[in-house]
Amino acid sequence: MRWDDLFEDLDARLIHARRLERDAEVADRRDDDVASVDLLSRLLATEGDLSLQLLDGSWVDGRVRAAGPGWVLLSAGSTGRRQVLVPTAAACAVRGLSTASLPPSAVVLRRSLLLALRALAAAGEGVLLRTRAGDVRGRLGRVGADHVDVVVPAGGGQSVVTVPFASLLNVTESG
């Protein structure tokens, strides 16, 4: 065997080993990139209709209008005028979610479920809260760290029903 052939073979083996290492590194980086993508980033990148299956088995369909850590706002219905706020903890499956992702801005990262509910409370509109146990219709009152008070009509007056965030499936406009 000529030495030239020997060294060419050695070079080919080193090039092949280097290519395998690079391919493995690319695959690891791709896996790391995918592993770092959260649901919020994919919701923000979704442009078409999507469907969320909630913990009670029901489905909510619509287009993403806004989202933040722990929630998504959908425009639902045939006209797209009905708004549905869904805590992402209440979703057990999503159909139609983009495979792309859009990193949330610093402002979006500050828009928590707490702030979204406080904005609805400040608006003073009538809402329907769907919970795991049933529906509560009224107006949002105080919003605590992990619960919301709903002011409901009761026998000519009003009463307050407190709903823990953990039991909340969605919030829609009442009407």
Side-chain angles (χ1 to χ4, degrees):
M1 178 179 234
R2 295 185 44 192
W3 283 21
D4 289 340
D5 293 340
L6 178 70
F7 285 106
E8 283 179 22
D9 182 58
L10 181 61
D11 287 347
R13 288 181 189 200
L14 289 173
I15 289 170
H16 179 70
R18 202 170 308 141
R19 186 173 299 131
L20 289 175
E21 287 175 9
R22 188 187 73 232
D23 291 348
E25 183 177 339
V26 167
D28 286 346
R29 286 184 183 183
R30 185 175 46 244
D31 291 346
D32 288 347
D33 287 347
V34 170
S36 68
V37 173
D38 61 6
L39 181 60
L40 174 59
S41 298
R42 291 185 63 192
L43 285 167
L44 292 171
T46 301
E47 295 180 4
D49 290 337
L50 61 77
S51 299
L52 298 170
Q53 184 180 34
L54 304 182
L55 294 171
D56 67 349
S58 66
W59 288 86
V60 177
D61 305 317
R63 287 186 173 262
V64 176
R65 291 296 173 223
W71 64 275
V72 60
L73 179 67
L74 301 177
S75 287
S78 58
T79 62
R81 297 182 74 190
R82 187 172 69 98
Q83 304 285 307
V84 182
L85 177 77
V86 180
T88 54
C92 59
V94 183
R95 187 179 327 153
L97 189 63
S98 175
T99 56
S101 62
L102 182 64
S105 68
V107 171
V108 169
L109 286 173
R110 288 192 297 267
R111 291 192 315 207
S112 65
L113 177 61
L114 178 79
L115 290 179
L117 290 172
R118 284 186 178 161
L120 292 175
E125 300 288 327
V127 295
L128 172 66
L129 280 81
R130 290 192 50 237
T131 73
R132 294 182 191 194
D135 296 345
V136 179
R137 192 178 299 269
R139 186 180 42 79
L140 297 184
R142 294 177 359 148
V143 181
D146 61 353
H147 65 279
V148 59
D149 289 344
V150 184
V151 180
V152 298
Q158 298 180 27
S159 68
V160 174
V161 176
T162 301
V163 177
F165 291 170
S167 70
L168 188 60
L169 296 176
N170 66 35
V171 181
T172 58
E173 299 166 297
S174 182

